[in-house]
Amino acid sequence: MSEPFEPVIIGFTCNWCSYRAADLAGTARVKYPPNVRLIRLMCSGRLDPTFVLKALSQGADGVMITGCHPGECHYIEQNYKAMRRYLLLRRTLAQMGIEPGRVKLVWASAAEGVKLAKEISTLVEEIRALGPLNWPGRVKMATGGNGTAVSAHISQEVTA
Amino acid sequence: MSADPTKDKERIGVYVCHCGTNISATVDVENVAVWAKDKLADDGVVVARDYKFMCSSLGQELIERDIEREGLTRVVVAACSPHLHENTFRGACHRAGLNGYLCEMVSIREQVSWVHTDKIAATAKAKAMIAGGVERVIENEPLESLHVPIHPDTLVVGGGIAGIQAALEIADSGNKVYLVEREPSIGGHMAQFDKTFPTLDCAACILTPKMVSAGTHPNIELLTWSEVERVDGFVGNFTVTIKKKPRYVIEELCTGCGICWEKCPKHVVDDVFEAGLGYRAAVYTPFAQAVPKYPVIDTENCTYFQRGKCRACEKFCPTNAIDFTQTETYISVTVGNIILATGYDLFDARRVVQYGYGRLANVFTSIEFERMCNASGPTNGEIVLRDGVTPPKSVGIIHCVGSRDRNYNNYCSVICCMSSLKFAHLVKERTGAEVYNFYIDMRTAYKDYDEFYQRVLEEGTLFVRGRVAEVTDAARGPGEEGKIIIQAEDTLIGKQRRIPVDMVLLAAALEPRKDAKEVAQKFGISCSANGWYTEKHPKLDPVATMTEGIFIAGAAQGPKDIPTSVSQGAAAAGRVLNRIGRGEIELEPVRATVEAAKCSGCRICNNLCPFGAIIFHEDLMVSEVKHALCQGCGTCVAACPAGAISGSGFSNGQILAQIEGMLMFDQPANLLNLAEMALA
Ligand SMILES: Cc1cc2nc3c(=O)[nH]c(=O)nc-3n(C[C@H](O)[C@H](O)[C@H](O)COP(=O)(O)OP(=O)(O)OC[C@H]3O[C@@H](n4cnc5c(N)ncnc54)[C@H](O)[C@@H]3O)c2cc1C
Ligand code: SF4
Ligand code: SF4
Ligand code: FES
C-alpha cells in the first residue's frame, strides 16, 4: 500500500490535569492528529499496567500515559507511582521484544493544552516511524507466553 | 460483543450532539448515529439519535422520554467534555428513574471536532470513541452518593488574622471552634506591624479587638503554645490530638499582671516577635496586647531551668501561678471540619549576600522596620540607625528581595511593593529623609493601592527602576564615605547608578512556612511546587482542598495582603458553616472497596494510599478502605496483586471494556480500517 501508516494510539489521562489539558486544547482549537483516543482515569496512579498491555494486544500501536506534573498530582504524589510503574513497564516491553518507545509518559497541567497537543503529534510521528505493532506475533516470539501473566508480575514488583 | 452472555442485554441509548455546528461541522453526526444503531446493535444499542443541542431542555427530554418509552438501562451522550455537562445528563437520567451513574459521556467536541480538521478521520474517531463509551457503560454500576454526618465542632490551625476571622465567623454562628496557635499569643504577623497599607490605620487598633473577641468568645477554645500532633478520621468526624506545651504558668491563677517578667533577671534577644531588634525576659508574653495574657517560660533561657537557681518569678508572683513542674499534655478533640491558616515565613535576607544583611549594620529587613516603626516596639517608634539614636538622612528601599528571582523564588510576593511604599511614606513623614525605592515593576493592583502609590510619588520619594546589583560600604569617593552605597542599573535612563544612603530596607519575600510540607502531610493535603498549600481549584474553589473537610485560608495558600486573608478566612468559615447547617455532606461515590474474601492480607495497599484511607484488620488479616477518607484516585486498585480492590466508577471492568470498545473496529479480524469505518 502506498498510503502512510496511520497508527492507533490509546491515551490515558487523569481527571484533574491532563484530561483538562485536552479540554483546553479543544477550547483553544489547537490541532493535533486524530490518531489518539483518550480514556479518563481519576489519576495516573490508577493506571494498571494491564490496561497498557490490553490496549497493545487489542490493536493499539502505541499508548500515551499522561498525568499532572510531579508535585501537582491532586492525590498528592500518586503520579510518582505511575512513573515507577511506567519505567518497569518499559523494561518488560523490551523483554517482550516490543519497542519501549511505543509507550510514553507525559506530564501536562490543566493549562498545557498546547503542550499536550504537541506531545500527541510527536508521539504519532514516533509510532508511525516504528510501524504497526503486530502484538501477537511479537509476544509469542519473545516470551512464548501471554501478556497478561506478565502484567500481574509488574504490579507486584512496583508496589513491593 | 463483550457483554456477559448470562446477563440480560442492556438497552442502550446513544445520543450524538451537533452542538450547533461546533461538532457537526467536523463530524458527520447523522452518519455516526445511524452507524451506532446498526453496528452497535449487538452490544445493546436500541436507540441512536443526533440532535442540535443535547444539553437544552428539549435534548434532555429526548433522553428522558426514551428511558421511559424504550426502557433504556444505559445512556451514552457523545457531546462536549464531561467536565461541562456530566451532571446535566446524569440529572436527566435521574429524573426519568435511571441511576445517573449509568450514563457515560464521550467528548467528541473538545477531543474531536475542535482539534481535528479532516471530516472522514474525525468521524471515524468519534465512532471509535462512542464504541468505547458503549462498551464501558455496559459495565457501569448504579452508584449512590455517600452521605456522611458532620460533627458541628471545627478546628482552626493558626491564629493569624485569617485564622482569627475564620474562628470568629463560625463561633458567632453558635458553633464551637478550637483555635490552635503554636506561639504564646494569637495575632500572627499583623500583630508586629505599625500601620497597614493603604489606609495607614494602626494595625493594633484594628487587630486587638478581634484578638480579644477570639480570646473571650464562649464558643472558642483557644489553645495557644500548642500544636496539632495527629489527625485521624475523616470529613465529618476527625479526631485530632493536640500537644499543649508546658507554659510553667497555671492559667487559672495567672492574672497577667506582668510582675514576673519585670522581675526576671534574664533578658534575651527576641528573634521571633521583635525580629531580633528588641529584648524580652525569659518569662514573657510576646507583646503587651497578647491574647491570652498568660506568659510562658522559655526554658532554654530561664536561669532556673539552666542552672537550677533563681525562681524569681515564682517568688514575686502574687497569685502563685508559676509551676516549674508542668509537662506537655495532650488533648484529643473531635471535629467535623478543619481550616488551616498557618500563614507564611519571611525570606531570610542573608541569602542575598550582595545586599549585605547581617554584615552591614544599617541594612534592615522589612519586619525589623515594622517593629522599629511600632510605637510599642524596641525604639518606641523612632526610625533610627542601628546605634539606636541617629535618624537617617537618606534611606534606600529595595523591592523584590528573594521574589521574582530565579535564584530564590520565581513568584511575586504580592505585598512588598505596597509595604515598601508604606515604608517610604513613614520614613518621609517621621524623619524627612530622602527616600529611594528600587523596584523592578510597580505592582499596586487592588482597591486604593495605586492611589497610595500616587500619594507617595507626590510626597517626593524617588523611584529607581532596576534590580539592585549590590549594597556595599566600600566608598569610591568623598561623597560615599561613611555611607552605604546602593549600586543599581536605572533601566529608565539606561545607566548604572551609585546612590549613597544611611539606611537600607529590604522588602523580603513571603515564603511558605518551613514546615508547610510536614503540616500538609499531617492533614493529608498537598503543596504546590513553590510550597504553598494547594487549593481544590485555583479560581473557583480557592479555600477548599482535594481532601474533604480540610480548608485553607490566608497566606498559607499563597502570598496575599490582609484584606484577602480576611476574605479567605471568612470564605472558609462559610464553607464549613454550610456543612454544619446541613448536618451531612454528599460525597462522590467514586471510591475503592476491598473485597475481603479476595484480600490476601499482603498489605501492599496499606502504605500506598496518600490519605491513609486503608486500614488493616489484624484479627481478620484483611484490609479495608474507609470510604469517607478515600478520594478515589485508584492507586490501590491498580496495585493490589490479588485484584481484591475495585474502584467504583472506574473499575477494571469499565476501563478494559472501554479499551476494547475503542479498538474493536481496528482489529484485523473486523477487516475494517479507519476509512471504511467512516464510510460505513
Ligand atoms: C513587612 C510586611 C508588611 C506588611 N504590611 C501589610 C499591610 O500594611 N497591609 C496588608 O494588608 N498586609 C500587609 N502584609 C501582609 C500580611 O502580613 C499578611 O497578609 C497577613 O499577615 C496574612 O495573615 P495569615 O493569618 O494568613 O498569616 P500569619 O500572619 O502568618 O499568621 C499565621 C499564624 O499561624 C501560626 N502557625 C503557623 N504554623 C502553625 C502550626 N503548624 N500550628 C499552629 N499555629 C501555626 C503562626 O504562629 C501565626 O500566628 C505585610 C507583610 C509583611 C512581610
Ligand atoms: S493490596 Fe490487596 S490483598 Fe494486599 S492487603 Fe491490600 S487489599 Fe488486601
Ligand atoms: S483509591 Fe486512592 S484514596 Fe482511595 S483508598 Fe485507594 S489509594 Fe486511597
Ligand atoms: S491527579 Fe493527575 S496524576 Fe494524579
Side-chain angles (χ1 to χ4, degrees), chain A residues 15 23 30-32 36-37 40 46 54 58 78 81 159, chain B residues 81 83 86 114 116 125 608 635 650 652 660 662 666-667:
Chain A
N15 183 50
D23 279 353
V30 182
K31 303 292 180 239
Y32 55 83
V36 174
R37 302 162 192 176
R40 177 164 66 129
R46 174 67 180 91
K54 168 89 176 174
Q58 292 285 126
Q78 306 309 72
K81 288 164 190 143
T159 46
Chain B
S81 166
H83 288 149
E86 194 165 56
W114 275 351
H116 305 320
K125 176 173 171 181
L608 277 179
T635 305
F650 289 83
N652 282 352
E660 206 166 288
M662 275 190 175
D666 296 299
Q667 285 183 23

PDB file of all heavy atoms in Angstrom, chain A residues 15 23 30-32 36-37 40 46 54 58 78 81 159, chain B residues 81 83 86 114 116 125 608 635 650 652 660 662 666-667:
ATOM      1  N   ASN A  15      -8.044  12.773  35.543  1.00  0.00           N
ATOM      2  CA  ASN A  15      -9.213  13.647  35.535  1.00  0.00           C
ATOM      3  C   ASN A  15      -8.862  15.114  35.758  1.00  0.00           C
ATOM      4  O   ASN A  15      -9.548  16.002  35.283  1.00  0.00           O
ATOM      5  CB  ASN A  15     -10.169  13.185  36.644  1.00  0.00           C
ATOM      6  CG  ASN A  15     -11.458  13.975  36.668  1.00  0.00           C
ATOM      7  OD1 ASN A  15     -12.104  14.130  35.641  1.00  0.00           O
ATOM      8  ND2 ASN A  15     -11.817  14.488  37.832  1.00  0.00           N
ATOM      9  N   ASP A  23      -9.200  19.144  27.279  1.00  0.00           N
ATOM     10  CA  ASP A  23     -10.352  20.055  27.186  1.00  0.00           C
ATOM     11  C   ASP A  23      -9.892  21.417  26.659  1.00  0.00           C
ATOM     12  O   ASP A  23     -10.511  22.018  25.794  1.00  0.00           O
ATOM     13  CB  ASP A  23     -10.973  20.283  28.579  1.00  0.00           C
ATOM     14  CG  ASP A  23     -11.907  19.141  28.983  1.00  0.00           C
ATOM     15  OD1 ASP A  23     -12.171  18.261  28.149  1.00  0.00           O
ATOM     16  OD2 ASP A  23     -12.376  19.148  30.145  1.00  0.00           O
ATOM     17  N   VAL A  30      -6.662  24.023  19.282  1.00  0.00           N
ATOM     18  CA  VAL A  30      -5.315  23.601  18.898  1.00  0.00           C
ATOM     19  C   VAL A  30      -5.454  22.302  18.108  1.00  0.00           C
ATOM     20  O   VAL A  30      -6.158  21.401  18.542  1.00  0.00           O
ATOM     21  CB  VAL A  30      -4.455  23.325  20.152  1.00  0.00           C
ATOM     22  CG1 VAL A  30      -3.041  22.934  19.766  1.00  0.00           C
ATOM     23  CG2 VAL A  30      -4.447  24.544  21.060  1.00  0.00           C
ATOM     24  N   LYS A  31      -4.805  22.209  16.972  1.00  0.00           N
ATOM     25  CA  LYS A  31      -4.988  20.997  16.154  1.00  0.00           C
ATOM     26  C   LYS A  31      -3.918  19.944  16.438  1.00  0.00           C
ATOM     27  O   LYS A  31      -2.757  20.274  16.664  1.00  0.00           O
ATOM     28  CB  LYS A  31      -4.935  21.361  14.669  1.00  0.00           C
ATOM     29  CG  LYS A  31      -5.962  22.415  14.257  1.00  0.00           C
ATOM     30  CD  LYS A  31      -7.394  21.885  14.333  1.00  0.00           C
ATOM     31  CE  LYS A  31      -8.389  22.960  13.911  1.00  0.00           C
ATOM     32  NZ  LYS A  31      -9.371  23.293  14.930  1.00  0.00           N
ATOM     33  N   TYR A  32      -4.353  18.685  16.453  1.00  0.00           N
ATOM     34  CA  TYR A  32      -3.398  17.565  16.516  1.00  0.00           C
ATOM     35  C   TYR A  32      -3.978  16.398  15.732  1.00  0.00           C
ATOM     36  O   TYR A  32      -5.182  16.384  15.458  1.00  0.00           O
ATOM     37  CB  TYR A  32      -3.045  17.205  17.966  1.00  0.00           C
ATOM     38  CG  TYR A  32      -4.195  16.878  18.910  1.00  0.00           C
ATOM     39  CD1 TYR A  32      -4.753  15.594  18.941  1.00  0.00           C
ATOM     40  CD2 TYR A  32      -4.685  17.833  19.803  1.00  0.00           C
ATOM     41  CE1 TYR A  32      -5.783  15.283  19.834  1.00  0.00           C
ATOM     42  CE2 TYR A  32      -5.716  17.531  20.692  1.00  0.00           C
ATOM     43  CZ  TYR A  32      -6.253  16.257  20.696  1.00  0.00           C
ATOM     44  OH  TYR A  32      -7.262  15.957  21.574  1.00  0.00           O
ATOM     45  N   VAL A  36      -5.157   9.574  18.254  1.00  0.00           N
ATOM     46  CA  VAL A  36      -5.178   9.245  19.680  1.00  0.00           C
ATOM     47  C   VAL A  36      -6.605   9.257  20.220  1.00  0.00           C
ATOM     48  O   VAL A  36      -7.376  10.164  19.927  1.00  0.00           O
ATOM     49  CB  VAL A  36      -4.315  10.250  20.474  1.00  0.00           C
ATOM     50  CG1 VAL A  36      -4.453  10.012  21.967  1.00  0.00           C
ATOM     51  CG2 VAL A  36      -2.859  10.109  20.074  1.00  0.00           C
ATOM     52  N   ARG A  37      -6.960   8.227  20.988  1.00  0.00           N
ATOM     53  CA  ARG A  37      -8.277   8.172  21.641  1.00  0.00           C
ATOM     54  C   ARG A  37      -8.040   8.140  23.150  1.00  0.00           C
ATOM     55  O   ARG A  37      -7.292   7.293  23.638  1.00  0.00           O
ATOM     56  CB  ARG A  37      -9.009   6.905  21.201  1.00  0.00           C
ATOM     57  CG  ARG A  37      -9.157   6.888  19.686  1.00  0.00           C
ATOM     58  CD  ARG A  37      -9.454   5.517  19.159  1.00  0.00           C
ATOM     59  NE  ARG A  37      -9.307   5.529  17.696  1.00  0.00           N
ATOM     60  CZ  ARG A  37      -9.430   4.458  16.939  1.00  0.00           C
ATOM     61  NH1 ARG A  37      -9.705   3.290  17.476  1.00  0.00           N
ATOM     62  NH2 ARG A  37      -9.267   4.563  15.640  1.00  0.00           N
ATOM     63  N   ARG A  40     -10.352   8.414  30.280  1.00  0.00           N
ATOM     64  CA  ARG A  40     -10.179   9.185  31.520  1.00  0.00           C
ATOM     65  C   ARG A  40     -10.060   8.262  32.724  1.00  0.00           C
ATOM     66  O   ARG A  40     -10.883   7.367  32.918  1.00  0.00           O
ATOM     67  CB  ARG A  40     -11.383  10.112  31.688  1.00  0.00           C
ATOM     68  CG  ARG A  40     -11.383  10.919  32.974  1.00  0.00           C
ATOM     69  CD  ARG A  40     -12.367  12.063  32.887  1.00  0.00           C
ATOM     70  NE  ARG A  40     -13.744  11.584  32.794  1.00  0.00           N
ATOM     71  CZ  ARG A  40     -14.737  12.015  33.575  1.00  0.00           C
ATOM     72  NH1 ARG A  40     -14.508  12.928  34.502  1.00  0.00           N
ATOM     73  NH2 ARG A  40     -15.960  11.551  33.426  1.00  0.00           N
ATOM     74  N   ARG A  46      -3.934   5.429  38.919  1.00  0.00           N
ATOM     75  CA  ARG A  46      -4.910   4.364  38.678  1.00  0.00           C
ATOM     76  C   ARG A  46      -4.444   3.448  37.551  1.00  0.00           C
ATOM     77  O   ARG A  46      -5.014   2.396  37.326  1.00  0.00           O
ATOM     78  CB  ARG A  46      -6.266   4.990  38.317  1.00  0.00           C
ATOM     79  CG  ARG A  46      -7.369   4.004  37.898  1.00  0.00           C
ATOM     80  CD  ARG A  46      -7.795   3.128  39.066  1.00  0.00           C
ATOM     81  NE  ARG A  46      -8.842   2.174  38.731  1.00  0.00           N
ATOM     82  CZ  ARG A  46      -8.606   0.936  38.295  1.00  0.00           C
ATOM     83  NH1 ARG A  46      -7.368   0.528  38.093  1.00  0.00           N
ATOM     84  NH2 ARG A  46      -9.608   0.125  38.045  1.00  0.00           N
ATOM     85  N   LYS A  54      -3.302  -4.488  27.558  1.00  0.00           N
ATOM     86  CA  LYS A  54      -4.580  -4.783  26.911  1.00  0.00           C
ATOM     87  C   LYS A  54      -4.713  -3.966  25.626  1.00  0.00           C
ATOM     88  O   LYS A  54      -5.056  -4.500  24.568  1.00  0.00           O
ATOM     89  CB  LYS A  54      -5.711  -4.420  27.880  1.00  0.00           C
ATOM     90  CG  LYS A  54      -7.090  -4.400  27.275  1.00  0.00           C
ATOM     91  CD  LYS A  54      -7.749  -5.754  27.365  1.00  0.00           C
ATOM     92  CE  LYS A  54      -9.180  -5.683  26.837  1.00  0.00           C
ATOM     93  NZ  LYS A  54      -9.791  -6.990  26.780  1.00  0.00           N
ATOM     94  N   GLN A  58      -4.860  -5.442  21.861  1.00  0.00           N
ATOM     95  CA  GLN A  58      -6.140  -5.360  21.141  1.00  0.00           C
ATOM     96  C   GLN A  58      -6.027  -4.575  19.838  1.00  0.00           C
ATOM     97  O   GLN A  58      -7.044  -4.282  19.219  1.00  0.00           O
ATOM     98  CB  GLN A  58      -7.187  -4.666  22.020  1.00  0.00           C
ATOM     99  CG  GLN A  58      -7.612  -5.426  23.231  1.00  0.00           C
ATOM    100  CD  GLN A  58      -8.536  -6.580  22.911  1.00  0.00           C
ATOM    101  OE1 GLN A  58      -8.270  -7.694  23.304  1.00  0.00           O
ATOM    102  NE2 GLN A  58      -9.612  -6.317  22.194  1.00  0.00           N
ATOM    103  N   GLN A  78       0.604  10.449  43.682  1.00  0.00           N
ATOM    104  CA  GLN A  78       0.363   9.166  43.028  1.00  0.00           C
ATOM    105  C   GLN A  78       1.014   9.109  41.650  1.00  0.00           C
ATOM    106  O   GLN A  78       1.265   8.024  41.132  1.00  0.00           O
ATOM    107  CB  GLN A  78      -1.137   8.890  42.936  1.00  0.00           C
ATOM    108  CG  GLN A  78      -1.856   8.968  44.272  1.00  0.00           C
ATOM    109  CD  GLN A  78      -1.205   8.139  45.363  1.00  0.00           C
ATOM    110  OE1 GLN A  78      -0.143   8.465  45.883  1.00  0.00           O
ATOM    111  NE2 GLN A  78      -1.831   7.028  45.693  1.00  0.00           N
ATOM    112  N   LYS A  81       4.053   7.169  41.579  1.00  0.00           N
ATOM    113  CA  LYS A  81       3.837   5.728  41.498  1.00  0.00           C
ATOM    114  C   LYS A  81       3.598   5.326  40.046  1.00  0.00           C
ATOM    115  O   LYS A  81       4.073   4.300  39.584  1.00  0.00           O
ATOM    116  CB  LYS A  81       2.675   5.319  42.395  1.00  0.00           C
ATOM    117  CG  LYS A  81       3.135   5.424  43.847  1.00  0.00           C
ATOM    118  CD  LYS A  81       2.048   5.416  44.859  1.00  0.00           C
ATOM    119  CE  LYS A  81       2.675   5.783  46.212  1.00  0.00           C
ATOM    120  NZ  LYS A  81       1.817   6.612  47.029  1.00  0.00           N
ATOM    121  N   THR A 159       4.943  -2.271  43.630  1.00  0.00           N
ATOM    122  CA  THR A 159       4.477  -1.857  44.944  1.00  0.00           C
ATOM    123  C   THR A 159       5.326  -2.442  46.056  1.00  0.00           C
ATOM    124  O   THR A 159       5.339  -1.925  47.154  1.00  0.00           O
ATOM    125  CB  THR A 159       3.028  -2.311  45.126  1.00  0.00           C
ATOM    126  OG1 THR A 159       2.924  -3.656  44.693  1.00  0.00           O
ATOM    127  CG2 THR A 159       2.104  -1.468  44.296  1.00  0.00           C
TER     128      THR A 159
ATOM    129  N   SER B  81     -17.209  17.997  26.781  1.00  0.00           N
ATOM    130  CA  SER B  81     -16.455  17.328  27.845  1.00  0.00           C
ATOM    131  C   SER B  81     -17.356  17.007  29.043  1.00  0.00           C
ATOM    132  O   SER B  81     -18.217  17.808  29.402  1.00  0.00           O
ATOM    133  CB  SER B  81     -15.329  18.250  28.309  1.00  0.00           C
ATOM    134  OG  SER B  81     -14.788  17.783  29.517  1.00  0.00           O
ATOM    135  N   HIS B  83     -16.631  17.294  31.929  1.00  0.00           N
ATOM    136  CA  HIS B  83     -16.436  18.324  32.947  1.00  0.00           C
ATOM    137  C   HIS B  83     -17.464  19.435  32.799  1.00  0.00           C
ATOM    138  O   HIS B  83     -17.689  20.212  33.708  1.00  0.00           O
ATOM    139  CB  HIS B  83     -15.018  18.894  32.874  1.00  0.00           C
ATOM    140  CG  HIS B  83     -14.002  17.916  33.381  1.00  0.00           C
ATOM    141  ND1 HIS B  83     -12.723  17.846  32.910  1.00  0.00           N
ATOM    142  CD2 HIS B  83     -14.096  16.948  34.309  1.00  0.00           C
ATOM    143  CE1 HIS B  83     -12.071  16.876  33.538  1.00  0.00           C
ATOM    144  NE2 HIS B  83     -12.888  16.325  34.391  1.00  0.00           N
ATOM    145  N   GLU B  86     -21.555  16.507  32.463  1.00  0.00           N
ATOM    146  CA  GLU B  86     -21.817  15.184  33.030  1.00  0.00           C
ATOM    147  C   GLU B  86     -23.003  15.251  33.994  1.00  0.00           C
ATOM    148  O   GLU B  86     -23.906  14.420  33.962  1.00  0.00           O
ATOM    149  CB  GLU B  86     -20.575  14.666  33.746  1.00  0.00           C
ATOM    150  CG  GLU B  86     -20.625  13.194  34.068  1.00  0.00           C
ATOM    151  CD  GLU B  86     -19.245  12.674  34.446  1.00  0.00           C
ATOM    152  OE1 GLU B  86     -18.633  13.228  35.383  1.00  0.00           O
ATOM    153  OE2 GLU B  86     -18.779  11.724  33.788  1.00  0.00           O
ATOM    154  N   TRP B 114     -13.172  19.932  17.609  1.00  0.00           N
ATOM    155  CA  TRP B 114     -12.420  21.176  17.774  1.00  0.00           C
ATOM    156  C   TRP B 114     -10.917  21.021  17.520  1.00  0.00           C
ATOM    157  O   TRP B 114     -10.203  22.001  17.403  1.00  0.00           O
ATOM    158  CB  TRP B 114     -12.645  21.738  19.195  1.00  0.00           C
ATOM    159  CG  TRP B 114     -13.892  22.569  19.291  1.00  0.00           C
ATOM    160  CD1 TRP B 114     -14.695  22.984  18.258  1.00  0.00           C
ATOM    161  CD2 TRP B 114     -14.481  23.101  20.483  1.00  0.00           C
ATOM    162  NE1 TRP B 114     -15.727  23.732  18.743  1.00  0.00           N
ATOM    163  CE2 TRP B 114     -15.639  23.830  20.101  1.00  0.00           C
ATOM    164  CE3 TRP B 114     -14.152  23.038  21.838  1.00  0.00           C
ATOM    165  CZ2 TRP B 114     -16.453  24.487  21.019  1.00  0.00           C
ATOM    166  CZ3 TRP B 114     -14.961  23.697  22.760  1.00  0.00           C
ATOM    167  CH2 TRP B 114     -16.101  24.411  22.349  1.00  0.00           C
ATOM    168  N   HIS B 116      -9.571  18.492  15.300  1.00  0.00           N
ATOM    169  CA  HIS B 116      -9.242  17.856  14.022  1.00  0.00           C
ATOM    170  C   HIS B 116      -9.904  18.616  12.886  1.00  0.00           C
ATOM    171  O   HIS B 116     -10.875  19.349  13.093  1.00  0.00           O
ATOM    172  CB  HIS B 116      -9.709  16.390  14.010  1.00  0.00           C
ATOM    173  CG  HIS B 116      -9.162  15.608  15.177  1.00  0.00           C
ATOM    174  ND1 HIS B 116      -7.877  15.770  15.627  1.00  0.00           N
ATOM    175  CD2 HIS B 116      -9.725  14.664  15.978  1.00  0.00           C
ATOM    176  CE1 HIS B 116      -7.672  14.961  16.672  1.00  0.00           C
ATOM    177  NE2 HIS B 116      -8.789  14.280  16.906  1.00  0.00           N
ATOM    178  N   LYS B 125     -12.974   8.649  14.234  1.00  0.00           N
ATOM    179  CA  LYS B 125     -12.521   8.696  15.621  1.00  0.00           C
ATOM    180  C   LYS B 125     -13.721   8.797  16.568  1.00  0.00           C
ATOM    181  O   LYS B 125     -13.771   8.132  17.604  1.00  0.00           O
ATOM    182  CB  LYS B 125     -11.572   9.876  15.848  1.00  0.00           C
ATOM    183  CG  LYS B 125     -11.142  10.023  17.302  1.00  0.00           C
ATOM    184  CD  LYS B 125     -10.070  11.077  17.497  1.00  0.00           C
ATOM    185  CE  LYS B 125      -9.839  11.352  18.977  1.00  0.00           C
ATOM    186  NZ  LYS B 125      -8.818  12.392  19.209  1.00  0.00           N
ATOM    187  N   LEU B 608       0.240   2.758  50.305  1.00  0.00           N
ATOM    188  CA  LEU B 608       0.139   3.476  49.035  1.00  0.00           C
ATOM    189  C   LEU B 608      -0.829   4.635  49.110  1.00  0.00           C
ATOM    190  O   LEU B 608      -0.699   5.609  48.383  1.00  0.00           O
ATOM    191  CB  LEU B 608      -0.359   2.524  47.951  1.00  0.00           C
ATOM    192  CG  LEU B 608       0.678   1.644  47.284  1.00  0.00           C
ATOM    193  CD1 LEU B 608      -0.001   0.764  46.256  1.00  0.00           C
ATOM    194  CD2 LEU B 608       1.734   2.506  46.626  1.00  0.00           C
ATOM    195  N   THR B 635      -5.143   4.362  42.995  1.00  0.00           N
ATOM    196  CA  THR B 635      -3.792   3.808  43.023  1.00  0.00           C
ATOM    197  C   THR B 635      -3.778   2.413  43.641  1.00  0.00           C
ATOM    198  O   THR B 635      -3.114   1.508  43.149  1.00  0.00           O
ATOM    199  CB  THR B 635      -2.861   4.743  43.817  1.00  0.00           C
ATOM    200  OG1 THR B 635      -2.949   6.031  43.224  1.00  0.00           O
ATOM    201  CG2 THR B 635      -1.433   4.260  43.775  1.00  0.00           C
ATOM    202  N   PHE B 650     -14.706   3.693  38.164  1.00  0.00           N
ATOM    203  CA  PHE B 650     -13.534   3.489  37.308  1.00  0.00           C
ATOM    204  C   PHE B 650     -13.005   2.062  37.515  1.00  0.00           C
ATOM    205  O   PHE B 650     -11.837   1.855  37.779  1.00  0.00           O
ATOM    206  CB  PHE B 650     -12.448   4.523  37.618  1.00  0.00           C
ATOM    207  CG  PHE B 650     -12.818   5.897  37.149  1.00  0.00           C
ATOM    208  CD1 PHE B 650     -13.623   6.726  37.923  1.00  0.00           C
ATOM    209  CD2 PHE B 650     -12.400   6.365  35.907  1.00  0.00           C
ATOM    210  CE1 PHE B 650     -13.995   7.992  37.486  1.00  0.00           C
ATOM    211  CE2 PHE B 650     -12.759   7.633  35.463  1.00  0.00           C
ATOM    212  CZ  PHE B 650     -13.560   8.452  36.251  1.00  0.00           C
ATOM    213  N   ASN B 652     -11.875  -1.884  36.856  1.00  0.00           N
ATOM    214  CA  ASN B 652     -11.110  -2.559  35.804  1.00  0.00           C
ATOM    215  C   ASN B 652     -12.031  -2.956  34.664  1.00  0.00           C
ATOM    216  O   ASN B 652     -11.699  -2.787  33.498  1.00  0.00           O
ATOM    217  CB  ASN B 652     -10.434  -3.817  36.351  1.00  0.00           C
ATOM    218  CG  ASN B 652      -9.194  -3.476  37.144  1.00  0.00           C
ATOM    219  OD1 ASN B 652      -8.774  -2.319  37.159  1.00  0.00           O
ATOM    220  ND2 ASN B 652      -8.619  -4.463  37.797  1.00  0.00           N
ATOM    221  N   GLU B 660     -11.331  -2.021  24.872  1.00  0.00           N
ATOM    222  CA  GLU B 660     -11.765  -2.984  23.868  1.00  0.00           C
ATOM    223  C   GLU B 660     -12.704  -2.316  22.854  1.00  0.00           C
ATOM    224  O   GLU B 660     -12.549  -2.474  21.646  1.00  0.00           O
ATOM    225  CB  GLU B 660     -12.482  -4.127  24.574  1.00  0.00           C
ATOM    226  CG  GLU B 660     -12.435  -5.423  23.820  1.00  0.00           C
ATOM    227  CD  GLU B 660     -12.860  -6.564  24.730  1.00  0.00           C
ATOM    228  OE1 GLU B 660     -12.077  -6.922  25.638  1.00  0.00           O
ATOM    229  OE2 GLU B 660     -13.974  -7.052  24.546  1.00  0.00           O
ATOM    230  N   MET B 662     -13.006   0.833  22.084  1.00  0.00           N
ATOM    231  CA  MET B 662     -12.341   1.834  21.249  1.00  0.00           C
ATOM    232  C   MET B 662     -11.569   1.203  20.106  1.00  0.00           C
ATOM    233  O   MET B 662     -11.306   1.840  19.102  1.00  0.00           O
ATOM    234  CB  MET B 662     -11.367   2.641  22.103  1.00  0.00           C
ATOM    235  CG  MET B 662     -12.013   3.790  22.825  1.00  0.00           C
ATOM    236  SD  MET B 662     -10.716   4.795  23.533  1.00  0.00           S
ATOM    237  CE  MET B 662     -11.699   6.135  24.191  1.00  0.00           C
ATOM    238  N   ASP B 666     -10.723  -1.750  14.849  1.00  0.00           N
ATOM    239  CA  ASP B 666      -9.399  -1.682  14.238  1.00  0.00           C
ATOM    240  C   ASP B 666      -8.777  -3.048  14.113  1.00  0.00           C
ATOM    241  O   ASP B 666      -7.742  -3.213  13.503  1.00  0.00           O
ATOM    242  CB  ASP B 666      -8.461  -0.825  15.101  1.00  0.00           C
ATOM    243  CG  ASP B 666      -8.962   0.594  15.161  1.00  0.00           C
ATOM    244  OD1 ASP B 666      -9.048   1.216  14.102  1.00  0.00           O
ATOM    245  OD2 ASP B 666      -9.315   1.045  16.268  1.00  0.00           O
ATOM    246  N   GLN B 667      -9.380  -4.018  14.792  1.00  0.00           N
ATOM    247  CA  GLN B 667      -8.736  -5.329  14.787  1.00  0.00           C
ATOM    248  C   GLN B 667      -8.814  -5.945  13.405  1.00  0.00           C
ATOM    249  O   GLN B 667      -9.830  -5.842  12.727  1.00  0.00           O
ATOM    250  CB  GLN B 667      -9.422  -6.232  15.802  1.00  0.00           C
ATOM    251  CG  GLN B 667      -9.001  -5.817  17.190  1.00  0.00           C
ATOM    252  CD  GLN B 667      -9.587  -6.708  18.239  1.00  0.00           C
ATOM    253  OE1 GLN B 667      -9.941  -7.845  17.944  1.00  0.00           O
ATOM    254  NE2 GLN B 667      -9.689  -6.201  19.430  1.00  0.00           N
TER     255      GLN B 667
END
